[in-house]
Amino acid sequence: MTSGSDIAALRQKLAGGDGPRFWRSLDAVADSPEFRDYLAAEFPSAARLAAAPERRGFLKLMAASFALGGLTACGAEGGRDYEVPYVNQPERIVPGTDLSYASSAVFDGFGNGILVTTRNGRPLKIEGNPDHPWSRGGTDVLAQASVLGLYDPFRSQAVQHLGRPSSWAAFRTALQAQIPAWREAGGAGVALLTGPVTSPTVAAQIARMRAAYPELRWYVGAGAGRDAIYEGARRAYGRPLETRPDFDRARTIVSLDGDFLDLGPGQVGLSGRWSAARRAAYAEGRLLTLHAAAPTPTLTSAKADHGVPVPAGRLEDLARDLLAVAAGAGAPAGDDPVSRWTRRAAKALTEARGAGIVTAGLTASPDLHALVHRLNGALGNTGATLRHTMPVAEQGAGTLVDLAEAMERGAVKALIVLGANPVYDAPGALDFAARMERVPLKIHAGLYYDETGAHADWHLPAAHPLESWGDVRSLDGTVGLIQPTVAPLYNGRTLQDMLAFLTDGRGGEEGADALALLKGRWRTEGEDPAAFEARFSDALRRGFWPDSAAAAEDVALTQEGGGPQPSARPPARSSAEPGIEVVFRPDPTVWDGTHADLAWLQELPKPLTKVVWENVIALSPHLAEREGIATGDIVRVEAEGRAVEGAAWIQPGQAADTVTLSLGYGRSVPDHLSSGLGYDAAALRPTGTPWRLSGARLTKTGRRRMPATTQHLGTMEGQDIVRVQAVGAAPVGDPKGAPAPASFYPPPENQDRWVAAQWGMAIDLDACTGCNACVTACQAENNIPVVGRTEVELGRWMGWLRVDRYYAGGLDAPTTQFQPVPCMHCEQAPCEVGCPVEATLHDSEGLNLQVYNRCVGTRTCQSYCPYKVRRFNYLDYTGGMTPVQQQQRNPEVTVRARGVMEKCTYCIQRITAARITSAKDAHAPIPDGAVETACQGACPTRAITFGNVADPGSQVSAARKDTREYALLGHLNTRPRTTYLAGLAPASDPAGREG
């Protein structure tokens, strides 16, 4: 809604103190009559019930959400295709009872420990493995959505040859005819391309394959690879290394485009450790401060106590300035925001020598990583707050650039692509698809028939990790085990099976060899078989091999690059200087596009923009004002003869002349859910600096299309929605022991002798990073439907839990707060008074219940709710499901029909299960921690606490005693059972702003 011409007025409004303290969007700051009308309507699409989505898109969407049309034909070749009752009851399976398996979720080749909950042999839900030494019970959005990926009908379901259905037998015959020639030539002309490999078993198989074919060349490619991280370490230490921060020992953190809180292989482990360290520091009366400089806002920079936007091209100079101060030189003396930030960060680092951390992220340049290593060394942090280990990912492979050059020379006669999609992932400058056409034989194996599969001669369906045997390392080196929780649905084969067959022409027919290969890798020579089986069974039960994390390495900086030298500061950039900077970032929901066909992730609001079903072109308020661009304008970004077009999004906190392009969209595979969504950022990516492009041109096309976003849905109006506690300042929480104001509501029911619990929740805003793991976990647990882009635009998003994002301060460098908002379960709930048929009511344990078969769809409760957390089924989003399609759904949660209101239930099905267990034990009280809501269990930072508020010894009662605790919109006297702990800020600057 806001145009570039309005931005100057908005900036002045905020600077003058006339705007809101916390705001969700530029439109909220403008507070225009149109925006007020939007909020007054609450759901402006209510009158458009007759509007139906386009039929083809609707069917694609329903297929993704309901696993349509796949399970009835998913047996292995020759297997039965009908159901029979049990004759002999399977071991450990009790009908109607959950059974969990310890396994690992795979993220770009790296692993996180998980527990897979199954019911009657069907995987239903992913939980974190609390015993896993790296992930410690947390999960991320990709792990939560992986169960939908298992049932995804867009997965590859058959072997294809030249684009037509074929069979494994035909492929086996064709390849066996090729293998003798490969052996005779020693593998000359054969190229193997994989994604990042951390699996010890797969690494051993690749080594055997290279031994069998000495001239074979191995390459590794990924849309978001870690090459810069390893190259930066090599420039600083002479060898590639992993770098892991030890937040427990730190007193301050400086992030130079860091990403330890952002979606990635390390997010679960690193964000959990950061939160625990910050919580421990607060208990000691101090703050583990985070200083962040970044060209575009990230979850890491959003949680910074002191943040500043800095172009990516200037970050290396910033690191040199800090390095100079560490060596004894003076700090920059300017009065611009970057100079002020640099002086503050340098002071914090020098005062915390040996107890500071400087970090850079996945998208930082190798030079910046090398400078960060040298800076940590100069400050005495290396070995104290930072540990270095050998790379978790296998080294020694070539890159996509190397492979493209080899194909251009005609040196590749057979290309084998396993679990990668280079046609889509490769930078546009490589023109990978055209070069791939020069290869006579092209074999692709993957979960999806993707862009690379479409260009291959043979495409082979791969097995999903939830139906496979294997192993994978976490970022700390811990080896996690992967075990199947269901037989392969779509006749896929594991990567181990395929490598075994490619090596010797033999492989498991139905994956049996994958287990043998796994055991063979871990059985030591001469080990007693019985002793190994006991050891393997123990590791399988744990989900990982104990004590397998990588050992810390002793490191020494090389002399290359010289000692610390002050840098000459670059001149201020003129607004008339031609060209803009483009930075590329993985998408925070679908990553690099690997998961783009999962509807849960497409409809998951992106943490900072709240955009769904597409990517946008993010630009700063400064650039939008200068170019006259408004959010929703279709703009064109071009450089080096290539261009992309997409919807503009004015992003507060963006560096002035920087544009951000997100990966993962612009897919071109027909009849896939992701086809036609957004633009393909890879078309503009350069080969030498894949995360940054300079000298680009930004122009308006004259067209407009507003992105679908949820940022205005559920807007609350009131006071003190978000609170921030400055360390050492007076408490901002609600006063303890204050008398409750008078109310016309009846008092809550008294407990009777059979009721042992009063349920409540506390959410720590300081620990919440906005990662959205809780939102996806809630969707998986509670059968929440996907409605599609059109329905979201009409205000019909169905999520029971939303994470609101608030800004504070000016447009150019605001601070950011995240606030998860489930149902408050008010003791004096307005919705209960408003419902004319008592479909919403209160129970004796304090839960606000929704009785679906009473609801007649008046939506009165939704109008009465000040928190805007109730969702209405405008259409039958879950209808027409056959019994086999229902296997993906949680059988403990009712699937709602059209015309029914729904909302967060505090996972009442889990409370009921705990109550039943209690009843079996003579109605013993439910112990604290026995009930864990889906959102609570998924959170990697443990921001959510749930339990019995009537038990003074419970964790939730302890949280409610914190002086930061407050009730959202408490002045309305609704007495919510869900309360919040205020975020933390430095004592000197409660808002965390620079200057």
Side-chain angles (χ1 to χ4, degrees):
M1 299 179 189
T2 302
S3 67
S5 59
D6 299 328
I7 291 176
L10 299 186
R11 188 180 285 111
Q12 183 178 1
K13 185 176 183 179
L14 289 171
D18 295 330
R21 183 185 176 195
F22 291 99
W23 41 279
R24 290 174 64 172
S25 67
L26 301 184
D27 298 304
V29 178
D31 200 25
S32 64
E34 294 81 7
F35 181 68
R36 302 298 303 177
D37 291 343
Y38 179 92
L39 294 186
E42 184 174 351
F43 290 91
S45 61
R48 300 175 60 183
L49 292 175
E54 183 266 327
R55 183 175 182 275
R56 184 181 182 88
F58 181 79
L59 290 177
K60 287 168 58 178
L61 174 66
M62 292 303 101
S65 185
F66 309 148
L68 178 66
L71 299 184
T72 57
C74 57
E77 293 179 10
R80 63 177 176 84
D81 56 1
Y82 55 91
E83 301 299 325
V84 296
Y86 289 140
V87 176
N88 297 313
Q89 179 72 30
E91 184 182 2
R92 295 186 301 276
I93 291 183
V94 178
T97 301
D98 291 345
L99 181 63
S100 294
Y101 294 86
S103 191
S104 297
V106 182
F107 190 143
D108 255 12
F110 293 79
N112 285 309
I114 59 172
L115 301 177
V116 185
T117 301
T118 67
R119 175 71 68 92
N120 299 338
R122 289 288 183 181
L124 298 176
K125 180 70 172 61
I126 302 299
E127 306 288 352
N129 184 348
D131 297 328
H132 195 279
W134 172 250
S135 54
R136 298 180 178 179
T139 60
D140 56 29
V141 295
L142 300 188
Q144 289 294 330
S146 63
V147 70
L148 181 65
L150 172 67
Y151 297 98
D152 187 2
F154 296 114
R155 273 181 56 192
S156 176
Q157 302 183 25
V159 175
Q160 296 204 40
H161 182 221
L162 300 178
R164 296 185 176 184
S166 185
S167 66
W168 282 103
F171 170 72
R172 190 175 297 112
T173 300
L175 195 63
Q176 284 174 338
Q178 293 283 338
I179 288 178
W182 291 357
R183 287 177 176 161
E184 184 177 351
V190 179
L192 172 67
L193 173 66
T194 67
V197 174
T198 68
S199 164
T201 300
V202 171
Q205 286 186 269
I206 291 176
R208 284 196 292 270
M209 188 175 182
R210 297 176 77 179
Y213 306 111
E215 299 300 318
L216 176 143
R217 295 293 177 262
W218 175 39
Y219 303 90
V220 168
R226 299 172 63 83
D227 298 346
I229 294 176
Y230 297 139
E231 176 60 20
R234 189 195 64 76
R235 295 181 187 183
Y237 298 115
R239 52 181 171 146
L241 294 165
E242 301 282 0
T243 303
R244 296 205 318 272
D246 190 345
F247 296 117
D248 289 336
R249 300 183 179 184
R251 298 186 67 86
T252 193
I253 306 167
V254 172
S255 167
L256 301 180
D257 200 13
D259 58 5
F260 60 87
L261 299 181
D262 291 85
L263 184 64
Q267 181 191 41
V268 174
L270 292 175
S271 61
R273 286 163 172 78
W274 169 82
S275 176
R278 191 165 165 102
R279 192 176 287 119
Y282 173 67
E284 298 173 1
R286 61 183 179 86
L287 186 65
L288 175 58
T289 55
L290 173 58
H291 307 251
T296 188
T298 64
L299 295 187
T300 304
S301 67
K303 294 299 294 184
D305 303 293
H306 308 288
V308 65
V310 178
R314 192 175 172 185
L315 286 171
E316 292 171 19
D317 292 324
L318 193 60
R320 292 188 182 95
D321 286 341
L322 294 173
L323 189 55
V325 175
D335 194 38
D336 59 288
V338 176
S339 296
R340 293 197 301 270
W341 181 92
T342 304
R343 289 195 297 271
R344 191 195 296 261
K347 182 174 183 291
L349 287 173
T350 53
E351 289 178 351
R353 286 182 180 270
I357 293 174
V358 185
T359 181
L362 180 79
T363 60
S365 68
D367 284 340
L368 180 56
H369 278 287
L371 285 166
V372 165
H373 288 306
R374 296 187 182 279
L375 178 55
N376 280 310
L379 291 167
N381 300 333
T382 303
T385 58
L386 292 160
R387 299 181 183 180
H388 297 281
T389 65
M390 295 301 293
V392 175
E394 291 294 319
Q395 303 295 296
T399 65
L400 280 180
V401 175
D402 299 331
L403 175 58
E405 292 174 350
M407 291 190 299
E408 183 69 20
R409 297 193 310 268
V412 179
K413 306 302 181 185
L415 174 61
I416 304 166
V417 182
L418 301 182
N421 185 11
V423 171
Y424 175 75
D425 290 335
L430 286 182
D431 197 9
F432 198 93
R435 298 187 182 193
M436 189 172 167
E437 293 301 320
R438 300 170 63 91
V439 180
L441 176 62
K442 302 171 286 292
I443 301 169
H444 172 258
L447 281 173
Y448 294 89
Y449 183 73
D450 53 26
E451 290 84 351
T452 302
H455 283 80
D457 302 310
W458 287 94
H459 166 75
L460 313 173
H464 192 276
L466 292 177
E467 53 190 17
S468 305
W469 287 103
D471 54 12
V472 63
R473 289 189 183 273
S474 300
L475 200 60
D476 69 339
T478 296
V479 179
L481 294 177
I482 302 172
Q483 60 175 315
T485 56
V486 68
L489 299 180
Y490 300 135
N491 197 24
R493 299 290 189 269
T494 65
L495 187 62
Q496 296 95 311
D497 284 330
M498 296 180 192
L499 285 169
F501 178 70
L502 291 167
T503 301
D504 56 20
R506 300 188 301 274
E509 291 294 317
E510 296 181 1
D513 277 358
L515 177 58
L517 289 166
L518 178 64
K519 289 183 174 181
R521 168 60 181 82
W522 293 106
R523 182 183 294 112
T524 58
E525 187 175 354
E527 183 175 10
D528 178 69
F532 169 75
E533 288 297 331
R535 188 165 65 91
F536 183 78
S537 296
D538 178 69
L540 202 59
R541 178 184 58 81
R542 297 172 183 264
F544 59 91
W545 285 106
D547 304 319
S548 57
E553 297 282 320
D554 293 326
V555 297
L557 291 166
T558 64
Q559 295 303 309
E560 181 183 353
Q565 297 291 330
S567 65
R569 300 194 60 77
R573 189 180 182 89
S574 167
S575 61
E577 184 178 348
I580 61 170
E581 175 187 72
V582 179
V583 294
F584 302 87
R585 293 294 182 268
D587 185 82
T589 57
V590 302
W591 192 240
D592 61 357
T594 305
H595 312 276
D597 279 322
L598 300 185
W600 288 356
L601 300 179
Q602 289 288 1
E603 200 155 290
L604 180 65
K606 303 185 195 306
L608 292 168
T609 64
K610 301 303 173 183
V611 169
V612 297
W613 289 101
E614 64 181 308
N615 54 353
V616 292
I617 296 177
L619 62 155
S620 68
H622 169 87
L623 187 57
E625 182 180 8
R626 191 181 78 198
E627 301 294 334
I629 296 173
T631 292
D633 286 345
I634 303 299
V635 296
R636 180 181 178 89
V637 182
E638 53 188 325
E640 301 176 358
R642 300 183 304 277
V644 298
E645 292 184 359
W649 184 271
I650 301 175
Q651 178 63 59
Q654 180 96 349
D657 292 304
T658 299
V659 164
T660 303
L661 303 183
S662 299
L663 306 180
Y665 286 87
R667 306 296 298 273
S668 59
V669 181
D671 295 324
H672 275 225
L673 184 73
S674 57
S675 180
L677 300 178
Y679 60 85
D680 181 9
L684 273 185
R685 292 182 80 181
T687 56
T689 57
W691 298 110
R692 178 178 180 268
L693 174 66
S694 59
R697 191 158 63 97
L698 176 69
T699 56
K700 294 173 63 174
T701 65
R703 307 191 307 275
R704 278 186 58 79
R705 181 180 56 79
M706 284 299 296
T709 177
T710 65
Q711 74 170 351
H712 295 312
L713 297 181
T715 295
M716 295 176 288
E717 298 182 86
Q719 304 170 12
D720 294 332
I721 291 175
V722 174
R723 300 187 191 181
V724 178
Q725 174 71 64
V727 175
V732 299
D734 293 338
K736 306 302 178 186
S743 172
F744 60 83
Y745 290 94
E749 295 183 25
N750 294 324
Q751 289 180 261
D752 59 39
R753 64 191 185 93
W754 298 108
V755 177
Q758 293 292 305
W759 302 106
M761 178 179 287
I763 302 175
D764 187 348
L765 298 186
D766 192 66
C768 177
T769 63
C771 73
N772 277 332
C774 56
V775 179
T776 311
C778 179
Q779 184 158 25
E781 172 74 16
N782 294 297
N783 301 334
I784 297 174
V786 172
V787 300
R789 176 196 170 102
T790 301
E791 294 293 289
V792 173
E793 290 178 324
L794 296 177
R796 301 173 184 174
W797 185 72
M798 294 297 293
W800 287 7
L801 170 64
R802 70 177 191 267
V803 181
D804 291 340
R805 178 265 301 119
Y806 289 93
Y807 294 119
L811 298 180
D812 299 312
T815 59
T816 308
Q817 298 287 340
F818 297 103
Q819 184 178 54
V821 185
C823 176
M824 298 292 112
H825 289 270
C826 306
E827 292 182 0
Q828 299 183 158
C831 58
E832 297 172 13
V833 176
C835 181
V837 295
E838 293 190 347
T840 178
L841 47 87
H842 221 70
D843 78 353
S844 59
E845 294 186 343
L847 299 181
N848 176 257
L849 306 179
Q850 183 72 27
V851 184
Y852 299 128
N853 61 356
R854 287 187 187 176
C855 182
V856 295
T858 66
R859 301 173 62 238
T860 311
C861 59
Q862 191 178 52
S863 300
Y864 278 36
C865 177
Y867 304 101
K868 312 302 181 188
V869 293
R870 290 176 164 266
R871 304 287 177 256
F872 184 69
N873 286 269
Y874 284 91
L875 300 175
D876 189 7
Y877 301 119
T878 58
M881 296 171 63
T882 64
V884 70
Q885 293 166 354
Q886 296 173 18
Q887 298 305 307
Q888 190 266 330
R889 297 297 190 180
N890 184 350
E892 297 296 329
V893 179
T894 301
V895 176
R896 285 76 62 188
R898 181 179 183 178
V900 171
M901 189 67 67
E902 58 185 73
K903 67 170 191 70
C904 161
T905 66
Y906 271 173
C907 290
I908 191 172
Q909 66 276 6
R910 298 189 177 195
I911 296 174
T912 302
R915 192 184 300 125
I916 293 171
T917 302
S918 169
K920 295 177 181 177
D921 190 18
H923 295 281
I926 299 174
D928 189 37
V931 179
E932 187 177 69
T933 62
C935 56
Q936 175 190 12
C939 180
T941 63
R942 295 296 173 254
I944 301 174
T945 307
F946 180 79
N948 182 6
V949 297
D951 177 7
S954 66
Q955 295 183 49
V956 70
S957 293
R960 290 163 73 99
K961 294 174 184 175
D962 195 303
T963 57
R964 296 183 289 142
E965 190 253 2
Y966 72 97
L968 182 62
L969 302 181
H971 64 284
L972 298 179
N973 199 25
T974 56
R975 301 181 190 175
R977 283 288 178 87
T978 299
T979 57
Y980 294 87
L981 304 186
L984 296 174
S988 60
D989 186 3
R993 293 185 294 272
E994 285 306 312

